[in-house]
Amino acid sequence: MRIISRKKLRDFWNQHPDAQASLQTWYADVKQAEWKTPTEIKNLYRNASFVANNRVVFNIKGNKYRLVVAVQYEYGIVYIRFVGTHLEYDKIDAATI
């Protein structure tokens, strides 16, 4: 998959260094993936949650952080829409961010 953009991940782990290893692992896994359906994501990430508008919510670092992406299956693109703490996540609408 093509991931847009890694900078959001770097910016986040610079503020939360304990998230760096988990986010780098997620990035490496997704870059290697070729997801065509939500089921393929679920096979790799059992705790992923699917919301409207092709948004997928990933638990990062044992559910300490949340990562929201928009997936364009047809084009093989993953757009990073949000990465933050649970408290920050509770303040957004994952389906529209």
Side-chain angles (χ1 to χ4, degrees):
M1 302 297 286
R2 186 169 156 219
I3 303 167
I4 302 174
S5 101
R6 186 174 185 186
K7 183 180 183 320
K8 285 185 181 183
L9 299 180
R10 277 195 306 262
D11 290 347
F12 186 78
W13 78 52
N14 285 334
Q15 292 180 354
H16 304 273
D18 63 325
Q20 182 173 356
S22 296
L23 289 170
Q24 286 177 326
T25 299
W26 177 89
Y27 184 89
D29 290 346
V30 175
K31 193 160 179 66
Q32 297 286 331
E34 295 180 10
W35 296 329
K36 300 293 183 202
T37 66
T39 302
E40 292 175 355
I41 295 173
K42 202 68 164 168
N43 288 339
L44 185 59
Y45 289 97
R46 298 231 179 260
N47 292 325
S49 300
F50 299 89
V51 293
N53 298 321
N54 288 327
R55 300 298 198 270
V56 184
V57 180
F58 295 94
N59 298 323
I60 302 295
K61 182 108 173 85
N63 208 17
K64 184 175 181 180
Y65 304 111
R66 291 282 177 101
L67 172 65
V68 180
V69 302
V71 181
Q72 292 293 323
Y73 298 99
E74 182 179 346
Y75 302 107
I77 301 174
V78 173
Y79 298 93
I80 297 172
R81 305 300 299 154
F82 169 86
V83 59
T85 65
H86 256 282
L87 184 61
E88 293 165 335
Y89 174 81
D90 290 340
K91 295 177 184 176
I92 66 162
D93 180 359
T96 59
I97 194 165

XYZ file of all heavy atoms in Angstrom:
815
model
N 0.851 -1.170 0.000
C 0.000 0.000 0.000
C 0.904 1.242 0.000
O 1.999 1.225 0.534
C -0.895 0.028 1.235
C -1.811 -1.187 1.419
S -3.038 -1.424 0.135
C -4.203 -0.140 0.482
N 0.396 2.277 -0.584
C 1.082 3.577 -0.553
C 0.490 4.357 0.618
O -0.736 4.491 0.719
C 0.831 4.297 -1.863
C 1.588 5.559 -1.991
C 1.487 6.082 -3.418
N 1.710 7.509 -3.378
C 1.070 8.389 -4.096
N 0.147 7.997 -4.943
N 1.345 9.655 -3.990
N 1.332 4.847 1.494
C 0.884 5.515 2.714
C 1.179 7.007 2.624
O 2.305 7.416 2.370
C 1.584 4.922 3.950
C 1.339 3.417 4.024
C 1.092 5.619 5.216
C 2.214 2.698 5.013
N 0.135 7.800 2.853
C 0.253 9.257 2.797
C -0.229 9.808 4.141
O -1.383 9.621 4.490
C -0.592 9.835 1.644
C -0.118 9.210 0.338
C -0.521 11.342 1.622
C -0.952 9.575 -0.864
N 0.519 10.425 4.946
C 1.931 10.672 4.835
C 2.629 10.225 6.113
O 2.082 10.367 7.209
C 2.180 12.142 4.549
O 2.562 12.892 5.654
N 3.833 9.762 5.980
C 4.603 9.258 7.125
C 4.966 10.385 8.093
O 5.196 10.148 9.281
C 5.859 8.562 6.624
C 6.614 7.891 7.729
C 7.760 7.099 7.212
N 8.384 6.377 8.301
C 9.479 5.697 8.174
N 10.080 5.611 7.004
N 9.993 5.072 9.202
N 4.993 11.608 7.605
C 5.354 12.749 8.445
C 4.453 12.850 9.671
O 4.916 13.176 10.770
C 5.308 14.048 7.646
C 5.745 15.266 8.449
C 5.684 16.523 7.618
C 6.179 17.749 8.330
N 5.852 17.919 9.705
N 3.156 12.583 9.525
C 2.250 12.639 10.676
C 2.667 11.638 11.749
O 2.577 11.924 12.938
C 0.811 12.355 10.249
C 0.160 13.491 9.522
C -1.290 13.189 9.245
C -1.924 14.335 8.489
N -3.349 14.122 8.245
N 3.128 10.477 11.320
C 3.591 9.474 12.280
C 4.852 9.947 12.987
O 4.971 9.855 14.210
C 3.842 8.134 11.585
C 2.655 7.476 10.902
C 3.080 6.163 10.264
C 1.512 7.259 11.878
N 5.808 10.463 12.205
C 7.066 10.957 12.793
C 6.807 12.087 13.788
O 7.390 12.127 14.873
C 8.025 11.424 11.707
C 8.826 10.316 11.083
C 9.996 10.872 10.286
N 9.589 11.851 9.300
C 9.397 11.582 8.013
N 9.582 10.366 7.547
N 9.038 12.529 7.179
N 5.958 13.021 13.392
C 5.637 14.136 14.283
C 5.052 13.615 15.595
O 5.388 14.118 16.670
C 4.651 15.103 13.627
C 5.272 15.898 12.490
O 6.523 15.891 12.346
O 4.500 16.518 11.727
N 4.199 12.605 15.500
C 3.577 12.060 16.704
C 4.591 11.344 17.582
O 4.640 11.560 18.788
C 2.423 11.117 16.347
C 1.670 10.656 17.559
C 0.751 11.491 18.166
C 1.894 9.407 18.107
C 0.069 11.085 19.312
C 1.220 8.988 19.239
C 0.305 9.833 19.841
N 5.427 10.486 16.990
C 6.362 9.753 17.846
C 7.475 10.640 18.381
O 8.095 10.311 19.382
C 6.853 8.468 17.212
C 7.920 8.526 16.156
C 9.132 9.144 16.216
C 7.886 7.883 14.884
N 9.838 8.924 15.062
C 9.092 8.155 14.223
C 6.945 7.080 14.234
C 9.399 7.679 12.958
C 7.237 6.608 12.969
C 8.444 6.910 12.340
N 7.698 11.788 17.768
C 8.639 12.746 18.367
C 8.076 13.319 19.673
O 8.823 13.625 20.591
C 8.988 13.873 17.398
C 9.951 13.414 16.316
O 10.710 12.476 16.512
N 9.916 14.086 15.180
N 6.756 13.444 19.754
C 6.095 13.921 20.969
C 5.818 12.779 21.949
O 5.708 13.006 23.147
C 4.775 14.611 20.623
C 4.956 15.899 19.879
C 3.627 16.550 19.558
O 2.562 15.990 19.797
N 3.679 17.743 19.001
N 5.669 11.560 21.430
C 5.357 10.378 22.244
C 6.321 9.256 21.849
O 5.942 8.333 21.118
C 3.906 9.929 22.001
C 2.901 10.995 22.260
N 2.371 11.221 23.510
C 2.333 11.918 21.438
C 1.511 12.228 23.451
N 1.480 12.667 22.202
N 7.566 9.329 22.318
C 8.590 8.362 21.895
C 8.221 6.902 22.142
O 8.675 6.018 21.414
C 9.822 8.751 22.722
C 9.602 10.170 23.096
C 8.115 10.338 23.224
N 7.361 6.633 23.125
C 6.972 5.244 23.386
C 6.118 4.657 22.266
O 5.955 3.449 22.180
C 6.252 5.118 24.731
C 4.950 5.888 24.796
O 4.858 6.991 24.193
O 4.013 5.411 25.457
N 5.600 5.492 21.382
C 4.785 5.021 20.259
C 5.616 4.708 19.015
O 5.112 4.091 18.070
C 3.730 6.062 19.908
N 6.885 5.111 19.007
C 7.690 5.005 17.792
C 7.783 3.576 17.260
O 7.524 3.342 16.077
C 9.091 5.565 18.016
C 9.941 5.524 16.753
C 11.269 6.233 16.900
O 11.563 6.845 17.926
N 12.071 6.176 15.861
N 8.151 2.631 18.081
C 8.329 1.254 17.605
C 7.024 0.692 17.048
O 7.012 0.061 15.985
C 8.863 0.365 18.721
N 5.917 0.931 17.735
C 4.619 0.415 17.274
C 4.205 1.047 15.951
O 3.710 0.359 15.057
C 3.542 0.671 18.327
O 3.826 -0.032 19.504
N 4.416 2.352 15.827
C 4.053 3.035 14.581
C 4.964 2.622 13.429
O 4.500 2.455 12.290
C 4.078 4.549 14.764
C 2.951 5.111 15.633
C 3.192 6.576 15.949
C 1.596 4.916 14.949
N 6.240 2.421 13.692
C 7.146 1.972 12.638
C 6.790 0.560 12.184
O 6.841 0.265 10.988
C 8.596 2.033 13.117
C 9.122 3.439 13.175
C 10.535 3.517 13.722
O 10.933 2.742 14.585
N 11.299 4.481 13.224
N 6.404 -0.297 13.116
C 5.978 -1.650 12.756
C 4.705 -1.599 11.915
O 4.603 -2.279 10.889
C 5.754 -2.502 14.021
O 6.991 -2.588 14.731
C 5.245 -3.886 13.681
N 3.736 -0.782 12.342
C 2.491 -0.630 11.573
C 2.821 -0.153 10.159
O 2.315 -0.708 9.181
C 1.557 0.362 12.276
C 0.302 0.613 11.498
C -0.864 -0.088 11.589
C 0.094 1.617 10.491
N -1.774 0.423 10.685
C -1.215 1.461 10.005
C 0.890 2.609 9.948
C -1.728 2.282 9.007
C 0.384 3.423 8.959
C -0.920 3.260 8.498
N 3.665 0.857 10.049
C 4.024 1.409 8.743
C 4.654 0.337 7.848
O 4.275 0.207 6.679
C 4.988 2.591 8.928
C 5.332 3.294 7.637
C 4.546 4.340 7.171
C 6.437 2.914 6.878
C 4.855 4.992 5.991
C 6.751 3.564 5.690
C 5.955 4.596 5.250
O 6.250 5.224 4.070
N 5.597 -0.416 8.383
C 6.267 -1.468 7.597
C 5.272 -2.535 7.148
O 5.315 -2.984 5.997
C 7.391 -2.095 8.410
N 4.372 -2.942 8.036
C 3.362 -3.950 7.689
C 2.450 -3.463 6.574
O 2.168 -4.189 5.617
C 2.499 -4.300 8.909
C 3.235 -5.084 9.974
O 4.341 -5.605 9.709
O 2.693 -5.170 11.103
N 1.976 -2.233 6.706
C 1.017 -1.701 5.736
C 1.687 -1.443 4.396
O 1.100 -1.679 3.341
C 0.336 -0.434 6.297
C -0.568 0.217 5.259
C -0.462 -0.786 7.550
N 2.916 -0.986 4.405
C 3.639 -0.739 3.155
C 3.777 -2.033 2.342
O 3.716 -2.019 1.114
C 5.007 -0.144 3.463
C 5.705 0.419 2.257
C 6.779 1.392 2.700
C 7.517 1.977 1.536
N 6.736 2.822 0.678
N 3.925 -3.156 3.023
C 4.054 -4.460 2.361
C 2.704 -5.041 1.922
O 2.654 -5.909 1.071
C 4.726 -5.462 3.308
C 6.133 -5.092 3.699
C 7.125 -5.308 2.581
O 6.934 -6.166 1.740
N 8.184 -4.522 2.559
N 1.631 -4.564 2.525
C 0.299 -5.130 2.279
C -0.255 -4.720 0.910
O 0.182 -3.727 0.314
C -0.662 -4.677 3.373
N -1.221 -5.483 0.464
C -1.969 -5.171 -0.762
C -3.448 -5.393 -0.483
O -4.069 -6.291 -1.036
C -1.488 -6.054 -1.914
C -0.063 -5.785 -2.316
C 0.395 -6.672 -3.467
O -0.434 -7.361 -4.093
O 1.609 -6.666 -3.750
N -4.003 -4.569 0.409
C -5.382 -4.733 0.832
C -6.355 -4.399 -0.285
O -6.284 -3.344 -0.897
C -5.684 -3.848 2.024
C -4.906 -4.196 3.255
C -4.456 -5.420 3.634
C -4.492 -3.296 4.274
N -3.799 -5.336 4.830
C -3.804 -4.038 5.249
C -4.645 -1.920 4.464
C -3.269 -3.461 6.394
C -4.111 -1.343 5.600
C -3.439 -2.110 6.557
N -7.288 -5.301 -0.505
C -8.364 -5.074 -1.472
C -9.717 -4.996 -0.788
O -10.684 -4.521 -1.372
C -8.393 -6.204 -2.516
C -7.111 -6.329 -3.321
C -6.892 -5.140 -4.212
C -5.646 -5.338 -5.066
N -5.106 -4.105 -5.546
N -9.790 -5.489 0.464
C -11.053 -5.506 1.206
C -10.772 -5.288 2.695
O -9.659 -5.556 3.168
C -11.780 -6.861 1.060
O -10.992 -7.876 1.706
C -12.023 -7.214 -0.401
N -11.784 -4.876 3.442
C -11.623 -4.764 4.897
C -11.259 -6.098 5.552
O -10.522 -6.121 6.541
C -12.984 -4.269 5.370
C -13.543 -3.537 4.197
C -13.064 -4.314 2.997
N -11.706 -7.186 5.001
C -11.387 -8.502 5.557
C -9.887 -8.744 5.568
O -9.350 -9.327 6.513
C -12.104 -9.615 4.754
O -13.509 -9.362 4.790
C -11.805 -10.985 5.323
N -9.193 -8.292 4.557
C -7.743 -8.464 4.496
C -7.049 -7.662 5.598
O -6.038 -8.100 6.142
C -7.218 -8.088 3.114
C -7.678 -9.056 2.050
C -7.273 -8.653 0.642
O -6.707 -7.554 0.453
O -7.517 -9.448 -0.273
N -7.596 -6.503 5.931
C -7.051 -5.728 7.048
C -7.303 -6.480 8.354
O -6.410 -6.620 9.190
C -7.688 -4.327 7.113
C -7.311 -3.508 5.877
C -7.268 -3.598 8.398
C -8.016 -2.180 5.766
N -8.515 -6.981 8.512
C -8.897 -7.692 9.733
C -8.040 -8.942 9.938
O -7.756 -9.324 11.076
C -10.386 -8.047 9.669
C -11.023 -8.289 10.998
C -11.106 -7.021 11.813
C -12.073 -7.192 12.952
N -11.994 -6.118 13.914
N -7.617 -9.572 8.861
C -6.763 -10.754 8.976
C -5.412 -10.414 9.601
O -4.829 -11.238 10.304
C -6.542 -11.404 7.611
C -7.776 -12.107 7.097
O -8.673 -12.463 7.866
N -7.845 -12.290 5.800
N -4.923 -9.217 9.356
C -3.629 -8.786 9.897
C -3.790 -8.078 11.240
O -2.979 -8.256 12.139
C -2.922 -7.865 8.895
C -1.516 -7.406 9.242
C -0.575 -8.597 9.434
C -0.981 -6.507 8.135
N -4.850 -7.283 11.360
C -5.108 -6.502 12.570
C -6.495 -6.844 13.102
O -7.477 -6.197 12.757
C -5.007 -4.995 12.270
C -3.598 -4.554 12.007
C -3.115 -4.430 10.710
C -2.736 -4.284 13.055
C -1.811 -4.033 10.469
C -1.425 -3.885 12.825
C -0.978 -3.768 11.530
O 0.322 -3.377 11.292
N -6.552 -7.830 13.960
C -7.834 -8.314 14.485
C -8.596 -7.257 15.279
O -9.813 -7.305 15.352
C -7.616 -9.549 15.343
C -7.020 -10.693 14.575
C -7.806 -11.957 14.771
N -7.218 -13.048 14.000
C -7.691 -13.445 12.845
N -8.727 -12.854 12.325
N -7.135 -14.445 12.205
N -7.880 -6.307 15.884
C -8.535 -5.282 16.694
C -8.883 -4.025 15.907
O -9.350 -3.052 16.493
C -7.658 -4.908 17.897
C -7.553 -6.041 18.889
O -8.505 -6.779 19.079
N -6.399 -6.202 19.511
N -8.649 -4.028 14.605
C -8.999 -2.859 13.787
C -10.516 -2.680 13.795
O -11.272 -3.646 13.774
C -8.494 -3.037 12.366
N -10.928 -1.419 13.824
C -12.360 -1.091 13.784
C -12.640 -0.348 12.486
O -11.858 0.502 12.063
C -12.737 -0.196 14.963
O -12.459 -0.834 16.179
N -13.778 -0.661 11.901
C -14.157 -0.047 10.633
C -15.329 0.895 10.865
O -16.313 0.527 11.495
C -14.525 -1.132 9.612
C -13.361 -2.049 9.335
C -13.147 -3.187 10.114
C -12.455 -1.768 8.331
C -12.057 -4.008 9.890
C -11.366 -2.590 8.096
C -11.168 -3.709 8.878
N -15.184 2.116 10.363
C -16.237 3.113 10.481
C -16.587 3.610 9.078
O -16.002 3.169 8.093
C -15.824 4.274 11.424
C -15.678 3.786 12.854
C -14.541 4.932 10.985
N -17.522 4.528 8.993
C -17.992 5.022 7.699
C -16.864 5.654 6.886
O -15.808 5.995 7.406
C -19.111 6.036 7.917
N -17.113 5.809 5.601
C -16.194 6.478 4.671
C -14.836 5.790 4.553
O -13.807 6.453 4.428
C -16.007 7.952 5.060
C -17.300 8.721 4.985
O -18.096 8.517 4.081
N -17.529 9.578 5.955
N -14.846 4.460 4.601
C -13.615 3.656 4.469
C -12.560 4.018 5.500
O -11.366 3.900 5.250
C -13.029 3.767 3.055
C -13.862 3.012 2.051
O -14.442 1.981 2.377
N -13.927 3.523 0.837
N -12.995 4.457 6.673
C -12.061 4.757 7.758
C -11.808 3.496 8.563
O -12.709 2.709 8.822
C -12.595 5.837 8.698
C -12.878 7.180 8.054
C -11.632 7.818 7.482
N -11.775 9.229 7.254
C -12.203 9.778 6.128
N -12.567 9.028 5.130
N -12.253 11.086 6.004
N -10.545 3.337 8.973
C -10.144 2.211 9.806
C -9.411 2.775 11.016
O -8.560 3.649 10.875
C -9.224 1.226 9.047
C -8.909 0.009 9.909
C -9.847 0.804 7.725
N -9.764 2.281 12.195
C -9.148 2.723 13.440
C -8.272 1.580 13.955
O -8.740 0.459 14.134
C -10.208 3.089 14.496
C -9.538 3.554 15.786
C -11.157 4.149 13.963
N -6.995 1.902 14.176
C -6.036 0.928 14.696
C -5.662 1.302 16.124
O -5.473 2.483 16.427
C -4.756 0.915 13.850
C -4.962 0.450 12.443
C -5.190 1.368 11.428
C -4.915 -0.897 12.119
C -5.372 0.953 10.123
C -5.095 -1.318 10.820
C -5.329 -0.400 9.815
N -5.548 0.297 16.969
C -5.034 0.490 18.320
C -3.518 0.392 18.254
O -2.975 -0.560 17.719
C -5.575 -0.584 19.258
C -7.082 -0.528 19.374
O -7.659 0.543 19.374
N -7.706 -1.672 19.460
N -2.852 1.380 18.813
C -1.392 1.440 18.780
C -0.855 1.356 20.211
O -1.423 1.962 21.123
C -0.918 2.756 18.117
C -1.473 2.887 16.690
C 0.600 2.880 18.136
C -0.986 1.846 15.705
N 0.220 0.613 20.378
C 0.896 0.473 21.674
C -0.067 -0.035 22.740
O -0.297 0.584 23.761
C 1.540 1.783 22.099
C 2.293 1.729 23.409
C 3.766 1.783 23.197
C 4.530 1.895 24.492
N 4.784 0.646 25.124
N -0.652 -1.188 22.468
C -1.547 -1.784 23.453
C -2.767 -0.940 23.742
O -3.236 -0.887 24.876
N -3.270 -0.253 22.725
C -4.475 0.559 22.813
C -4.261 1.873 23.573
O -5.209 2.524 23.964
C -5.621 -0.243 23.430
C -6.968 0.236 22.966
O -7.088 0.938 21.969
N -7.999 -0.117 23.692
N -3.008 2.274 23.757
C -2.714 3.553 24.404
C -2.981 4.708 23.442
O -3.371 5.794 23.861
C -1.260 3.568 24.869
C -0.871 4.804 25.642
C 0.539 4.716 26.190
C 0.885 5.955 26.983
N 2.262 5.877 27.523
N -2.756 4.454 22.159
C -2.944 5.471 21.124
C -3.875 4.936 20.056
O -4.090 3.734 19.935
C -1.601 5.853 20.493
C -0.588 6.328 21.501
C 0.536 5.570 21.806
C -0.761 7.541 22.154
C 1.466 6.000 22.737
C 0.172 7.977 23.099
C 1.274 7.203 23.381
O 2.182 7.632 24.310
N -4.409 5.857 19.258
C -5.279 5.488 18.144
C -4.755 6.097 16.854
O -4.257 7.216 16.830
C -6.708 6.001 18.379
C -7.445 5.316 19.508
C -7.944 3.958 19.056
N -8.599 3.217 20.095
C -9.910 3.111 20.235
N -10.724 3.734 19.414
N -10.415 2.388 21.200
N -4.916 5.325 15.790
C -4.521 5.751 14.451
C -5.726 5.567 13.546
O -6.294 4.475 13.483
C -3.347 4.903 13.963
C -2.901 5.062 12.523
C -2.355 6.473 12.275
C -1.838 4.028 12.189
N -6.147 6.638 12.874
C -7.286 6.577 11.953
C -6.765 6.817 10.547
O -6.044 7.792 10.299
C -8.363 7.638 12.299
C -9.528 7.554 11.315
C -8.845 7.475 13.738
N -7.120 5.921 9.649
C -6.718 6.061 8.250
C -7.940 5.955 7.355
O -8.961 5.373 7.733
C -5.672 4.998 7.845
C -4.442 5.079 8.721
C -6.252 3.604 7.874
N -7.819 6.524 6.175
C -8.820 6.347 5.121
C -8.167 5.461 4.067
O -7.039 5.722 3.648
C -9.212 7.691 4.517
N -8.858 4.408 3.677
C -8.288 3.449 2.730
C -9.013 3.551 1.394
O -10.244 3.505 1.336
C -8.392 2.004 3.268
C -7.777 1.021 2.287
C -7.732 1.880 4.636
N -8.234 3.699 0.339
C -8.750 3.644 -1.028
C -8.286 2.298 -1.596
O -7.182 2.191 -2.128
C -8.214 4.808 -1.857
C -8.744 6.151 -1.435
C -10.229 6.268 -1.714
O -10.734 5.778 -2.718
N -10.938 6.909 -0.810
N -9.118 1.290 -1.429
C -8.743 -0.073 -1.822
C -8.417 -0.170 -3.309
O -7.458 -0.833 -3.691
C -9.869 -1.049 -1.466
C -10.150 -1.114 0.012
C -11.203 -0.397 0.576
C -9.375 -1.896 0.850
C -11.467 -0.468 1.939
C -9.620 -1.960 2.216
C -10.672 -1.239 2.747
O -10.921 -1.307 4.091
N -9.210 0.485 -4.126
C -9.045 0.406 -5.581
C -7.665 0.890 -6.039
O -7.079 0.353 -6.975
C -10.141 1.235 -6.261
C -10.106 1.191 -7.760
C -11.234 2.010 -8.375
O -12.181 2.389 -7.662
O -11.159 2.262 -9.592
N -7.148 1.910 -5.354
C -5.874 2.503 -5.761
C -4.703 2.085 -4.881
O -3.563 2.473 -5.136
C -5.986 4.028 -5.778
C -7.068 4.509 -6.704
C -8.260 5.018 -6.203
C -6.913 4.422 -8.084
C -9.266 5.443 -7.058
C -7.915 4.844 -8.940
C -9.088 5.343 -8.425
O -10.078 5.755 -9.267
N -4.981 1.342 -3.816
C -3.918 0.889 -2.928
C -3.276 2.007 -2.125
O -2.075 2.032 -1.924
N -4.118 2.945 -1.659
C -3.609 4.093 -0.914
C -4.227 4.123 0.483
O -5.422 3.905 0.651
C -3.920 5.412 -1.637
C -3.284 5.418 -3.038
C -3.443 6.614 -0.829
C -3.659 6.615 -3.880
N -3.380 4.423 1.465
C -3.812 4.609 2.845
C -3.455 6.036 3.243
O -2.284 6.428 3.190
C -3.109 3.599 3.790
C -3.427 3.904 5.241
C -3.500 2.175 3.444
N -4.461 6.816 3.605
C -4.256 8.199 4.025
C -4.319 8.261 5.546
O -5.337 7.891 6.131
C -5.342 9.120 3.466
C -5.381 9.203 1.965
C -6.204 8.360 1.220
C -4.597 10.133 1.291
C -6.244 8.435 -0.156
C -4.637 10.223 -0.090
C -5.468 9.367 -0.808
O -5.501 9.441 -2.177
N -3.273 8.727 6.176
C -3.283 8.890 7.625
C -4.094 10.142 7.937
O -3.737 11.245 7.532
C -1.855 8.985 8.188
C -1.129 7.674 7.909
C -1.897 9.298 9.690
C 0.340 7.689 8.231
N -5.188 9.954 8.651
C -6.086 11.064 8.957
C -5.903 11.584 10.377
O -6.150 12.750 10.651
C -7.545 10.637 8.753
C -7.868 10.083 7.373
C -7.609 11.057 6.263
N -8.456 12.222 6.457
C -8.190 13.433 6.014
N -7.096 13.665 5.332
N -9.004 14.420 6.249
N -5.491 10.696 11.300
C -5.355 11.092 12.702
C -4.459 10.101 13.421
O -4.541 8.894 13.179
C -6.737 11.090 13.376
C -6.698 11.235 14.869
C -6.649 12.486 15.458
C -6.698 10.119 15.686
C -6.598 12.614 16.832
C -6.651 10.240 17.062
C -6.607 11.496 17.638
N -3.619 10.608 14.289
C -2.890 9.768 15.237
C -2.850 10.557 16.539
O -2.536 11.744 16.553
C -1.478 9.367 14.737
C -0.611 10.566 14.456
C -0.805 8.413 15.682
N -3.268 9.899 17.627
C -3.321 10.618 18.892
C -3.614 9.707 20.059
O -3.730 8.487 19.927
N -3.752 10.337 21.206
C -4.073 9.613 22.429
C -5.561 9.259 22.437
O -6.336 9.769 21.611
C -3.769 10.481 23.659
O -4.652 11.605 23.644
C -2.323 10.942 23.678
N -5.955 8.418 23.372
C -7.378 8.080 23.503
C -8.214 9.320 23.798
O -9.308 9.484 23.251
C -7.585 7.036 24.610
C -7.835 5.677 24.088
N -9.042 5.284 23.588
C -7.013 4.615 23.963
C -8.966 4.036 23.192
N -7.739 3.605 23.407
N -7.692 10.190 24.654
C -8.423 11.412 24.995
C -8.637 12.282 23.751
O -9.745 12.788 23.526
C -7.670 12.203 26.071
C -8.347 13.457 26.590
C -9.692 13.120 27.241
C -7.446 14.170 27.586
N -7.609 12.419 22.935
C -7.731 13.189 21.694
C -8.694 12.508 20.724
O -9.486 13.160 20.055
C -6.361 13.375 21.050
C -5.416 14.245 21.851
C -3.973 14.146 21.407
O -3.565 13.126 20.824
O -3.236 15.104 21.679
N -8.618 11.178 20.666
C -9.500 10.420 19.774
C -10.962 10.607 20.149
O -11.828 10.714 19.280
C -9.118 8.929 19.809
C -10.061 8.054 19.045
C -9.965 7.929 17.660
C -11.069 7.337 19.690
C -10.826 7.135 16.946
C -11.937 6.535 18.977
C -11.828 6.434 17.608
O -12.688 5.657 16.906
N -11.231 10.659 21.445
C -12.619 10.816 21.914
C -13.225 12.142 21.480
O -14.455 12.284 21.477
C -12.687 10.685 23.425
C -12.430 9.255 23.898
O -12.564 8.314 23.085
O -12.103 9.078 25.091
N -12.405 13.093 21.073
C -12.896 14.423 20.683
C -13.129 14.562 19.178
O -13.559 15.613 18.729
C -11.898 15.485 21.138
C -11.783 15.585 22.639
C -10.742 16.591 23.039
C -10.566 16.625 24.553
N -9.506 17.532 24.968
N -12.831 13.515 18.419
C -13.000 13.612 16.960
C -14.103 12.690 16.481
O -14.574 11.818 17.228
C -11.692 13.240 16.212
C -11.346 11.762 16.424
C -10.554 14.161 16.627
C -10.367 11.200 15.431
N -14.520 12.883 15.258
C -15.436 11.959 14.585
C -14.611 11.198 13.566
O -14.235 11.741 12.524
C -16.563 12.731 13.905
C -17.542 11.824 13.180
O -17.342 10.579 13.174
O -18.498 12.354 12.595
N -14.297 9.951 13.874
C -13.403 9.156 13.020
C -13.941 8.986 11.603
O -13.175 8.824 10.666
C -13.157 7.787 13.661
N -15.236 9.060 11.435
C -15.839 8.874 10.115
C -15.664 10.080 9.203
O -15.761 9.949 7.985
C -17.315 8.544 10.250
N -15.385 11.243 9.783
C -15.305 12.446 8.955
C -13.950 13.130 8.991
O -13.717 14.063 8.227
C -16.370 13.480 9.364
O -16.168 13.830 10.734
C -17.769 12.921 9.162
N -13.071 12.702 9.866
C -11.777 13.366 9.972
C -10.937 13.095 8.732
O -11.024 12.097 8.098
C -11.021 12.958 11.245
C -9.874 13.915 11.466
C -10.560 11.539 11.216
C -9.272 13.866 12.830
